[in-house]
Every structure is written in C-alpha cells, then in structure tokens.
Amino acid sequence: MVSLQSLGGGIALVFGIVAILRRNCAIGGWLFYFFCQVLLGLALAAASTHWGNYSPDQWDTPLRYFLFAVSNLSRIVLLAAISVVCILMADTRAWHWVVALQYALAAYGVLTVVKLPVDAYCFPSATARDALSLAFPAVWMVYFGVSVRVKKVFGNAT
C-alpha cells in the first residue's frame, strides 16, 4: 500500500513538472506550484489527520487535549483559509488577496513558532516536523514579496 507521504511527494513532482510547462502562462511557474502545493497540503492534512484525537475522551488530561487541539486544529483551519485565498486570487487577480495571503502565511508561521514549545513539552516526536514546516510560510512570504510575476499578474497596488 502506498503511504500518503509518498503519494504526496509523487503528486508534488507532477505539479512541479506542470508548473515548469506552464511557466509562460500568467499563473504558471512557481505561482502555479504554490497554488497546487497549498491545495495538495490541505487534502493530505485532511486525509492524514487522526480526527479521533480531537475527542476529549482520548486524552488523559484536559490540558494536553487543549494544547493538542489548539495547536493542531488552528493550523489546519489556517491552511484551509490560505486555500480559499488562493482560489480567490486566481479568480479575481486582485492585489488585496496577495496582501491577505501574506498575512495568512505570517499567521501560519507565528502559530508554528508558538506550537514548537508546546511540542517540545507535550509532543516531542512532532517537534522536528513542525520546525521544518516553518519553511513553508517563510519561503512563500519572500516569494510573494519579491516576485515580478506576482506583481504583474495581480497588479501591485503600491
């Protein structure tokens, strides 16, 4: 049986190839890859989340349940919000959605930084994975801040 991780990696590779082939389109190249990465990430997060862990009766203490639910569910909800913003960006091509996306990515990064001490204290096996996940908002915030394509496609309002 194929794991979700290897399936996600294979799909991301296909998206990368399609992004290269679309590099001359308005929404192509890295911009297209970002949109695909966000939607794929949300789908994989939804498929791989052990939703039973969000039931309080699965936990030995209310504090651990609260920390788990707040730190994990908030990032899933924010990833869903980022997905909606991506769809609105592609549909309207309005600059204010780029700004909204930058704020959402910053919020995702802040939530991840706040989650790291919780992980270190309560869920040490998740600490390394969550530290690596900081690359997602950091890299894409820089991209959306400096990309000529983004400014051209979405009509930089500055």
Side-chain angles (χ1 to χ4, degrees):
M1 183 170 173
V2 177
S3 72
L4 281 177
Q5 184 176 9
S6 60
L7 177 64
I11 293 172
L13 179 62
V14 170
F15 285 155
I17 293 167
V18 172
I20 290 168
L21 295 173
R22 289 183 49 93
R23 71 182 171 272
N24 294 326
C25 299
I27 298 181
W30 288 112
L31 183 57
F32 179 80
Y33 188 77
F34 172 76
F35 288 162
C36 292
Q37 180 188 31
V38 167
L39 296 174
L40 176 62
L42 181 61
L44 290 176
S48 65
T49 296
H50 301 286
W51 296 104
N53 288 340
Y54 291 98
S55 174
D57 60 336
Q58 300 293 318
W59 293 87
D60 54 351
T61 66
L63 177 63
R64 283 179 55 86
Y65 168 69
F66 174 77
L67 291 173
F68 172 80
V70 168
S71 65
N72 287 293
L73 196 55
S74 59
R75 288 193 330 153
I76 292 172
V77 168
L78 197 48
L79 188 56
I82 290 170
S83 298
V84 169
V85 169
C86 286
I87 292 167
L88 292 169
M89 283 175 66
D91 186 43
T92 65
R93 297 198 185 178
W95 183 256
H96 64 270
W97 292 119
V98 175
V99 174
L101 178 64
Q102 290 171 320
Y103 281 123
L105 287 168
Y108 189 93
V110 168
L111 282 174
T112 302
V113 168
V114 168
K115 186 178 181 337
L116 289 174
V118 172
D119 283 346
Y121 178 71
C122 295
F123 315 107
S125 63
T127 305
R129 182 191 68 232
D130 284 337
L132 279 173
S133 74
L134 275 171
F136 167 71
V139 166
W140 291 112
M141 282 174 53
V142 170
Y143 172 77
F144 281 97
V146 301
S147 170
V148 172
R149 178 191 303 266
V150 169
K151 290 176 178 125
K152 183 178 176 186
V153 169
F154 297 102
N156 186 356
T158 58

